[in-house]
Amino acid sequence: QVQLMESGGGLVQAGGSLRLSCAVSGSFFSISRMGWFRQAPGKQRELVGMITDGVAIEYADSVKGRFTISISRDNAKNTVTLQMSSLKPEDTAVYYCYAAQQTSGTWRPDYWGQGTQVTVSA
């Protein structure tokens, strides 16, 4: 079993910065992909950024150049961090940590954090 524990988030003014962290523990050695999604009110959940196999990184176009995703590892867990800079009001959303195993060519099973609110005021 895999557990995800998020931290960070909160309220910030436009142009400010926030950092989100997610500790992935349990059977974390089986995880090949980690990242962050977000969901704003009335909208579908969307990708923010993710790292695959520790090297391949992708970002949503809307956050490129402003957000940075990184991974650190120790014996007990992997931690995926999202550093967000130059925040805009449209970045306001609930942010979800995501982790997945690769099985038979699919990214299943996948795991989700409980979500953390990020609010950017104008």
Side-chain angles (χ1 to χ4, degrees), residues 97-112:
C97 180
Y98 161 82
Q101 303 171 10
Q102 189 171 32
T103 307
S104 301
T106 68
W107 291 102
R108 291 289 188 274
D110 56 356
Y111 306 90
W112 295 88

Side-chain angles (χ1 to χ4, degrees), residues 37-46 92-96 117:
F37 284 70
R38 67 186 181 187
Q39 187 166 18
K43 295 187 177 182
Q44 290 188 331
R45 191 173 295 188
E46 63 176 4
T92 295
V94 178
Y95 284 68
Y96 295 92
Q117 178 70 45

Side-chain angles (χ1 to χ4, degrees), residues 38 62-63 66-67 86-93 95 118 120:
R38 67 186 181 187
S62 59
V63 307
R66 300 188 297 121
F67 290 12
S86 302
L87 283 160
K88 305 175 181 180
E90 51 263 44
D91 294 318
T92 295
Y95 284 68
V118 171
V120 184

Side-chain angles (χ1 to χ4, degrees), residues 8-121:
L11 174 64
V12 65
Q13 289 187 332
S17 299
L18 279 176
R19 184 171 66 182
L20 305 181
S21 293
C22 176
V24 181
S25 60
S27 300
F28 64 90
F29 51 85
S30 62
I31 297 298
S32 301
R33 174 176 281 180
M34 292 183 286
W36 293 88
F37 284 70
R38 67 186 181 187
Q39 187 166 18
K43 295 187 177 182
Q44 290 188 331
R45 191 173 295 188
E46 63 176 4
L47 170 70
V48 177
M50 69 169 68
I51 301 179
T52 301
D53 293 329
V55 293
I57 300 176
E58 60 181 291
Y59 295 101
D61 288 342
S62 59
V63 307
K64 285 180 181 177
R66 300 188 297 121
F67 290 12
T68 302
I69 193 168
S70 61
I71 290 178
S72 62
R73 307 177 192 272
D74 63 33
N75 290 336
K77 63 185 183 299
N78 291 341
T79 300
V80 55
T81 299
L82 183 69
Q83 179 66 48
M84 304 182 290
S85 303
S86 302
L87 283 160
K88 305 175 181 180
E90 51 263 44
D91 294 318
T92 295
V94 178
Y95 284 68
Y96 295 92
C97 180
Y98 161 82
Q101 303 171 10
Q102 189 171 32
T103 307
S104 301
T106 68
W107 291 102
R108 291 289 188 274
D110 56 356
Y111 306 90
W112 295 88
Q114 77 280 4
T116 185
Q117 178 70 45
V118 171
T119 303
V120 184
S121 62

